[in-house]
């Protein structure tokens, strides 16, 4: 009897799985992706490189090594790279989030968070990269 219930459950599970997998993937119609070439440098959680608490961003988020976060210049904020905007950076894997903003003096610039690894930040240096970022689609 237990075997029959198991087979019925298995059949039902496979039917639901088949139905859900047969749907075509939905387009991300709520968002568009844009790209821009920026100057990219790196920063760390050190007192010398920040104003105030080195583990708190200008938006109030907490920083911990290993997080994929970036800071953006304020002109990029006006272009749509606002707090928590997903960003893909040329030369890096994964998606980074905008979690910090830079001093007013910077233009067309991002800072990639590299935890406490000062040597990795120095090795990265400063270079031009293309970034892709997600924006809400305007209606």
């Amino acid at each position: 009897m237990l075997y029959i219930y198991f087979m019925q459950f298995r059949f039902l599970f496979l039917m639901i799985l088949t139905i859900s997998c047969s749907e075509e993937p939905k387009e991300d119609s709520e968002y568009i992706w844009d790209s821009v070439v920026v100057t990219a440098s790196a920063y760390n959680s050190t007192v010398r490189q920040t104003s105030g608490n080195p583990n708190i961003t200008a938006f109030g988020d907490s920083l911990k090594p290993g997080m994929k976060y970036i800071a953006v210049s304020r002109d990029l904020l006006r272009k749509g790279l606002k707090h928590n905007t997903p960003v893909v950076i040329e030369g890096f894997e994964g998606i980074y989030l905008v979690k910090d903003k830079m001093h007013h003096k910077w233009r067309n610039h991002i800072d990639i968070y590299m935890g406490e690894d000062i040597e990795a930040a120095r090795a990265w240096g400063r270079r031009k990269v293309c970034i892709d970022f997600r924006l809400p689609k305007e209606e």
Side-chain angles (χ1 to χ4, degrees):
M1 188 70 163
L2 187 59
Y3 179 75
I4 295 172
Y5 287 124
F6 173 73
M7 292 304 288
Q8 288 175 343
F9 176 76
R10 183 175 167 211
F11 176 75
L12 181 61
F13 176 75
L14 290 174
M15 287 284 292
I16 292 170
L17 187 62
T18 304
I19 292 169
S20 65
C21 291
S22 65
E23 291 182 31
E24 290 186 22
K26 295 178 183 174
E27 287 188 24
D28 195 4
S29 60
E30 296 178 40
Y31 299 98
I32 59 170
W33 285 83
D34 200 358
S35 61
V36 65
V37 175
V38 298
T39 301
S41 53
Y43 76 110
N44 306 103
S45 297
T46 65
V47 174
R48 277 189 73 211
Q49 295 183 31
T50 60
S51 58
N53 185 334
N55 296 312
I56 304 293
T57 71
F59 288 116
D61 294 300
S62 296
L63 292 174
K64 292 180 187 166
M67 295 179 154
K68 293 185 176 193
Y69 290 167
I70 64 170
V72 297
S73 58
R74 295 177 190 242
D75 61 322
L76 294 176
L77 288 170
R78 290 187 290 276
K79 290 183 178 179
L81 280 110
K82 298 179 176 158
H83 185 241
N84 286 327
T85 299
V87 178
V88 176
I89 305 168
E90 176 185 10
F92 285 85
E93 289 186 20
I95 294 178
Y96 285 71
L97 295 177
V98 174
K99 289 289 188 175
D100 206 353
K101 50 189 166 184
M102 300 170 73
H103 189 274
H104 294 282
K105 70 180 180 180
W106 297 106
R107 296 282 178 264
N108 200 44
H109 197 107
I110 67 168
D111 242 351
I112 304 164
Y113 178 62
M114 294 197 175
E116 296 172 350
D117 193 347
I118 296 170
E119 291 307 313
R122 284 187 181 139
W124 171 259
R126 180 176 294 155
R127 56 183 94 163
K128 297 272 188 193
V129 295
C130 180
I131 62 171
D132 297 315
F133 56 99
R134 192 181 80 178
L135 298 170
K137 189 181 271 188
E138 294 180 18
E139 297 296 324

